[in-house]
Amino acid sequence: MANVAANAELAGQPTLGAPDAPRLISQRERALRTFTSNRTAVLGVVMILVIVLIAIAAPLLVPHDPLDQSVSNRLAPPDSEYLLGTDDKGRDILSRVIFGARIALMVGVFSVALGGALGTAIGVVAGYFGGKVESGLMRLTDVMLAFPDLITGLLVLAVLGPGLEKMILAIGLTIAPRFARIAYGPTLAIKGKEFVEAARSIGVKDGRLLRVHILPNVGGDLLVYASLWTASAIRLEASLSFIGLGVAPPTPTWGQMIREGTVHLALVPWYSLAPGLALLATVFAFNLVGDGLRDVLDPKARA
Amino acid sequence: MLRHIARRLLLAIPTLLAVFTIIFIIVRVAPGDPATAALGDYASAEAVEALRERMGLNEPLWRQYVIFLGDLARGDLGRSLITETPVIDQIAFVLPYTLELAFAATLIGLLLGIPTGVLTAVRRNSMTDYVGRAVSLVGLSFPAFYLGILLIYFFAVRVRLFPSVGSAPFSEPAQNLHYLILPALTLGLIETAYIARMTRSVVLTILSDDYIRTARAKGLQEKVVLVRHALRAALIPIVSLVGIFAISLIGSSVLVEEVFARPGLGKLMVGATKQKDYTTLQSIMVVYALIIVVINLITDIVYTYVDPRVRYG
């Protein structure tokens, strides 16, 4: 009888009269439960969804064209038409903050994708092949890691020059060694496992072995870091824009708005403060999710 | 002890060599000619050629590399492409400002962060813990320049307690400190968030160790258990992490120097980047590499003091 109940349970049907029957759940389901029971992580996901929606729907949401200049209405305080006031060229600050989400998310996502792909490739190849390849790649990685990310980013951007693609490339290259370090360890561990040896013994080639057997097993850890480093990438983009090396005007970016606004802090405080709040909320959201994911993958760290 | 330090110093040499080589390569793979970049697109061909000659860009790459390393060994960091002054003079002028800032920020971070971390760990899952953790997660997400601007807004614009931007020379210590407070607080508060969070998790791990249970079981007061047993052990990982944070703090100081218009290594680097002054850029990177090696060395030395296993091992 109990067996039947358990089977019904497995099939996903509601069972009556067997409340104590062991409930078997898959690893994926357990991970999802751990994550969703973490209220702050769920808050992070909700915040990210809202920010993504805002970025996508930006043209529908903005009260004014973010590029529309009005010389007669420069540095105006907030009123019913310009809710956060206007900037030094008479553009609506609120609309520019909303559009700023696009560059922030774009740079965040693409640079992490680029850095993640490149870094994972470096780490996995170094761990798998060993020898000279390993020592060369990992030495390079360690040297890059020795420097703070902002300084590496600044140096790479100095060499590449300004622009959106360059910015993505610079941040991608800055975080690639971080991914390489994370991918390297597990690759070493998995390389020695029996199933890899078995696969090799039946003649599976290196390329397929890496793709089918090694990469999927390294993926989990990398996901956590992808989320945490999206936060870093967005902050890095804003920092470089703030320094004045970002995407060229008039495209609105939060970092650049914050920079322009510092001069007018006394007169139009929202000029700097509003894009800063948006930036803070976005970075915070990705950090929340990264934290939650870490709890899922490493229950020991859940202190 | 001395032998330990000497060995560490020797170990740093190959690392530094690798760093210098990579800096050399990165600066030279820059698309476009550094001489043209420095002089602008409208410079005459003769002027560019003269500058190339003076910069040594006409030499074969391997000779440039040898010259670069030779100059470094003699402590010669070259001349700025733009101002033509020796780079080392500029660096010597700004370096104390950056070090002062980093030192003050680390001090603030330690003084506020360790007590906060211990308190949130001891009162785990209490209101204190939740508030402390929430605040430190927000602190971790704070871009340094934005916190700086908030502090300027509240403590220099709204309430005129501190100067908003600028600096004062070291010959006027009182003024110098007055200008230091807001920038140091900016970095120090972010540092506090990192240190508090890490201290909390380190102390929590240690409090569940067997020897803590033994200490409690033999009837020691909780305060003694915490300070003499738990905190002492916690200091070991804290020291090494504070070293790592100090390095990332050097990175954030770039932004703080921009916000507060303070002289410093970061501000110099930003200027060199914008002007495409590659010799200055290269030299600043070399100085950063040296600073990082020194921070690691200091971390190592402090480590031997807090961890008896290193001292006797």
Side-chain angles (χ1 to χ4, degrees):
Chain A
M1 240 350 249
N3 247 343
V4 175
N7 283 339
E9 183 90 5
L10 275 179
Q13 289 155 5
T15 51
L16 290 170
D20 296 323
R23 171 101 165 78
L24 296 173
I25 57 172
S26 71
Q27 209 176 351
R28 183 168 302 189
E29 194 177 340
R30 180 166 20 204
L32 193 67
R33 276 194 199 170
T34 318
F35 186 81
T36 50
S37 68
N38 184 339
R39 266 178 293 169
T40 51
V42 174
L43 174 70
V45 172
V46 172
M47 284 174 74
I48 292 176
L49 284 178
V50 170
I51 296 164
V52 169
L53 279 179
I54 289 178
I56 293 172
L60 305 174
L61 291 173
V62 290
H64 297 273
D65 185 332
L67 301 181
D68 243 4
Q69 304 189 3
S70 145
V71 187
S72 58
N73 201 16
R74 294 166 57 226
L75 299 171
D79 58 26
S80 57
E81 197 182 345
Y82 298 96
L83 289 174
L84 295 177
T86 59
D87 72 0
D88 60 356
K89 295 195 177 60
R91 297 172 295 202
D92 181 35
I93 291 176
L94 178 63
S95 304
R96 289 181 69 75
V97 171
I98 291 174
F99 261 90
R102 292 189 153 189
I103 295 282
L105 289 179
M106 207 143 70
V107 173
V109 170
F110 285 125
S111 60
V112 169
L114 176 75
L118 186 68
T120 308
I122 291 174
V124 168
V125 165
Y128 182 77
F129 290 104
K132 280 219 178 70
V133 179
E134 175 181 11
S135 55
L137 285 177
M138 292 325 280
R139 173 56 67 87
L140 182 71
T141 301
D142 285 344
V143 167
M144 299 261 307
L145 281 179
F147 288 96
D149 52 8
L150 184 62
I151 290 179
T152 316
L154 204 58
L155 181 71
V156 177
L157 209 56
V159 168
L160 291 177
L164 179 62
E165 300 83 7
K166 308 265 179 67
M167 175 70 88
I168 290 172
L169 189 59
I171 296 177
L173 287 176
T174 305
I175 50 184
R178 281 150 232 272
F179 275 99
R181 261 271 152 242
I182 303 298
Y184 173 70
T187 306
L188 272 187
I190 293 165
K191 186 172 80 167
K193 291 263 167 71
E194 287 84 355
F195 74 90
V196 175
E197 213 172 305
R200 193 177 298 136
S201 72
I202 58 168
V204 176
K205 295 252 167 41
D206 282 340
R208 190 180 151 76
L209 207 68
L210 280 173
R211 245 187 2 260
V212 179
H213 297 289
I214 308 267
L215 260 184
N217 284 302
V218 182
D221 288 4
L222 293 170
L223 202 66
V224 179
Y225 289 97
S227 179
L228 290 173
W229 283 331
T230 307
S232 299
I234 290 173
R235 188 169 41 186
L236 211 52
E237 185 273 326
S239 303
L240 292 167
S241 296
F242 175 78
I243 289 172
L245 295 168
V247 179
T251 313
T253 68
W254 292 336
Q256 189 155 11
M257 290 183 72
I258 297 172
R259 177 190 188 83
E260 292 165 0
T262 44
V263 199
H264 308 291
L265 260 186
L267 198 60
V268 205
W270 284 119
Y271 195 167
S272 277
L273 301 190
L277 275 179
L279 171 64
L280 180 62
T282 310
V283 175
F284 184 62
F286 279 100
N287 273 338
L288 281 180
V289 174
D291 250 29
L293 281 176
R294 183 157 45 197
D295 289 352
V296 174
L297 293 175
D298 181 13
K300 276 176 298 184
R302 206 184 318 156
Chain B
M1 180 68 193
L2 269 178
R3 273 187 57 186
H4 179 72
I5 295 172
R7 225 185 48 150
R8 281 285 164 174
L9 267 178
L10 282 178
L11 277 176
I13 292 175
T15 312
L16 274 178
L17 205 62
V19 172
F20 294 161
T21 309
I22 289 173
I23 292 171
F24 176 84
I25 294 169
I26 289 181
V27 171
R28 268 153 197 81
V29 297
D33 177 39
T36 318
L39 293 173
D41 289 336
Y42 300 107
S44 69
E46 294 84 46
V48 171
E49 190 48 39
L51 185 60
R52 280 188 65 85
E53 187 62 42
R54 203 152 44 75
M55 286 167 72
L57 289 173
N58 289 334
E59 304 280 348
L61 213 54
W62 67 267
R63 274 214 62 182
Q64 289 187 38
Y65 181 61
V66 172
I67 293 170
F68 169 66
L69 286 184
D71 284 349
L72 279 186
R74 279 184 281 112
D76 180 0
L77 294 178
R79 283 170 182 276
S80 159
L81 283 182
I82 309 292
T83 60
E84 311 222 335
T85 50
V87 176
I88 193 145
D89 291 353
Q90 295 191 40
I91 290 177
F93 174 72
V94 298
L95 192 57
Y97 287 96
T98 300
L99 293 181
E100 165 191 57
L101 177 62
F103 183 75
T106 307
L107 202 65
I108 293 173
L110 287 172
L111 289 180
L112 296 178
I114 292 185
T116 312
V118 173
L119 199 70
T120 48
V122 173
R123 304 217 179 132
R124 188 181 175 183
N125 292 336
S126 70
M127 206 54 207
T128 321
D129 185 23
Y130 289 137
V131 173
R133 279 166 70 192
V135 170
S136 64
L137 198 61
V138 174
L140 292 186
S141 307
F142 243 108
F145 60 97
Y146 187 52
L147 184 57
I149 287 169
L150 283 183
L151 290 180
I152 291 180
Y153 180 64
F154 286 111
F155 298 109
V157 175
R158 294 290 288 270
V159 186
R160 295 173 183 275
L161 275 179
F162 300 101
S164 58
V165 294
S167 64
F170 288 92
S171 52
E172 299 168 43
Q175 279 288 39
N176 181 289
L177 268 184
H178 199 211
Y179 276 107
L180 176 66
I181 290 174
L182 284 188
L185 214 53
T186 305
L187 284 182
L189 289 177
I190 291 176
E191 197 71 354
T192 303
Y194 279 94
I195 292 180
R197 198 174 140 93
M198 171 232 7
T199 305
R200 177 180 180 274
S201 90
V202 167
V203 170
L204 274 182
T205 316
I206 288 172
L207 282 180
S208 63
D209 274 354
D210 288 343
Y211 77 96
I212 296 290
R213 187 168 9 132
T214 311
R216 282 179 181 150
K218 73 181 180 185
L220 289 182
Q221 277 184 350
E222 191 59 29
K223 206 168 29 175
V224 178
V225 173
L226 197 66
V227 176
R228 299 279 307 267
H229 290 80
L231 253 187
R232 239 188 114 183
L235 273 181
I236 299 168
I238 288 175
V239 163
S240 59
L241 285 165
V242 166
I244 293 172
F245 295 156
I247 291 171
S248 77
L249 196 127
I250 294 283
S252 310
S253 70
V254 175
L255 295 167
V256 171
E257 284 163 5
E258 275 289 301
V259 174
F260 289 93
R262 269 176 72 85
L265 217 47
K267 191 138 179 56
L268 199 62
M269 183 176 181
V270 171
T273 304
K274 286 183 179 167
Q275 296 180 306
K276 301 205 174 276
D277 185 346
Y278 286 111
T279 40
T280 307
L281 199 59
Q282 178 176 291
S283 308
I284 293 172
M285 289 304 292
V286 168
V287 174
Y288 272 128
L290 287 172
I291 291 178
I292 289 166
V293 167
V294 170
I295 290 177
N296 283 331
L297 195 68
I298 294 174
T299 311
D300 251 23
I301 294 171
V302 178
Y303 209 90
T304 56
Y305 275 104
V306 296
D307 191 349
R309 284 171 303 186
V310 179
R311 228 177 313 154
Y312 302 116

